[in-house]
Amino acid sequence: MEDEEFAQWLSQRPSAWGKNLSIIDGFITSVVVGPVSMDPLKWICPLLGIEPAAFNTGGTPEFAAIKAIMRWHNRISDTLRDDQGLKPVFRTDAKAQITAHDWCAGFMLAVDMNPRLWNDVLKTNSPHRYLMMPILMHLPVRLKGKMVTIDEPSILDDCRADIPGNAARLREIFQFKRFGTPHPNAPRP
């Protein structure tokens, strides 16, 4: 399934968490760099808005979407493993500006599946919290009962530029949790 066909298929899935390719890319990046390996059924089903039985029925649009997601996952994993430089799929907004909002929302959807496991980088006193800040800066927050967002292009541009490198560093940090050995480039705690 090619990107355009995949995007069209997603648009017809109201229950899918992945509403566009930018959300999908952020979500899958979070799965790849995160602190634990996740059961594909547990994250692909909500991401695509499909039932687990779709994994058992080849030749369907759902099965083609599952295959597309797995290829996407492997591409991101290989890119980070080979230190090729992550290229997030950011969206262009109505003003023709590149925006990372959807990508960051997708990333945090996956984080929210296991938030406790992300404490090493989410807690305020974490020495690695700075790696999450470019992502968190793109998300709305509740302030005095209202949802507010940062709308300063220069700040968001700087944050967006930091996302690929920070995602790679998150993967390095979490490698120890996943595999029991630190990545050779991992920052020391």
Side-chain angles (χ1 to χ4, degrees), residues 19 22 37 68 76 80 86 95 97 106 110 127 130 151 157 163 172 175 188:
K19 301 294 182 196
S22 187
S37 297
I76 291 171
L80 290 168
L86 185 67
K95 298 176 187 174
Q97 302 295 314
Y130 74 95
D151 197 22
D157 289 347
I163 288 172
E172 293 167 359
Q175 177 154 342
R188 300 291 178 233

Side-chain angles (χ1 to χ4, degrees), residues 5-189:
E5 182 184 1
F6 187 47
Q8 177 64 31
W9 181 83
L10 278 174
S11 71
Q12 299 167 7
R13 311 285 310 171
S15 63
W17 290 359
K19 301 294 182 196
N20 62 50
L21 300 182
S22 187
I23 293 172
I24 296 275
D25 192 64
F27 189 100
I28 295 172
T29 301
S30 184
V31 169
V32 169
V33 305
V36 296
S37 297
M38 293 174 62
D39 177 352
L41 280 173
K42 294 210 182 325
W43 63 270
I44 293 175
C45 290
L47 182 64
L48 297 178
I50 60 172
E51 295 297 323
F55 278 77
N56 303 323
T57 311
T60 64
E62 290 81 6
F63 195 77
I66 292 167
K67 287 175 32 180
I69 289 294
M70 293 311 296
R71 281 193 303 273
W72 204 321
H73 177 280
N74 292 340
R75 180 180 47 80
I76 291 171
S77 183
D78 292 348
T79 297
L80 290 168
R81 181 197 65 223
D82 298 341
D83 199 23
Q84 297 172 16
L86 185 67
K87 293 176 179 56
V89 177
F90 296 137
R91 192 175 59 78
T92 303
D93 68 14
K95 298 176 187 174
Q97 302 295 314
I98 297 173
T99 174
H101 289 86
D102 286 353
W103 189 95
C104 295
F107 190 96
M108 291 307 294
L109 277 170
V111 168
D112 286 344
M113 293 183 80
N114 293 302
R116 184 180 49 79
L117 299 175
W118 286 80
N119 277 345
D120 289 349
V121 295
L122 287 175
K123 282 188 175 177
T124 307
N125 61 351
S126 166
H128 303 300
R129 182 170 170 86
Y130 74 95
L131 295 172
M132 292 296 291
M133 290 311 295
I135 295 167
L136 297 173
M137 295 288 281
H138 282 86
L139 303 175
V141 295
R142 186 167 301 282
L143 185 64
K144 295 184 180 181
K146 295 182 180 178
M147 295 305 286
V148 295
T149 58
I150 294 175
D151 197 22
E152 177 55 47
S154 63
I155 292 171
L156 293 176
D157 289 347
D158 288 347
C159 288
R160 188 180 67 241
D162 288 341
I163 288 172
N166 285 15
R169 284 189 284 288
L170 286 167
R171 181 178 184 274
E172 293 167 359
I173 288 167
F174 285 133
Q175 177 154 342
F176 185 79
K177 282 187 178 270
R178 284 180 171 232
F179 306 111
T181 58
H183 188 281
N185 300 328
R188 300 291 178 233

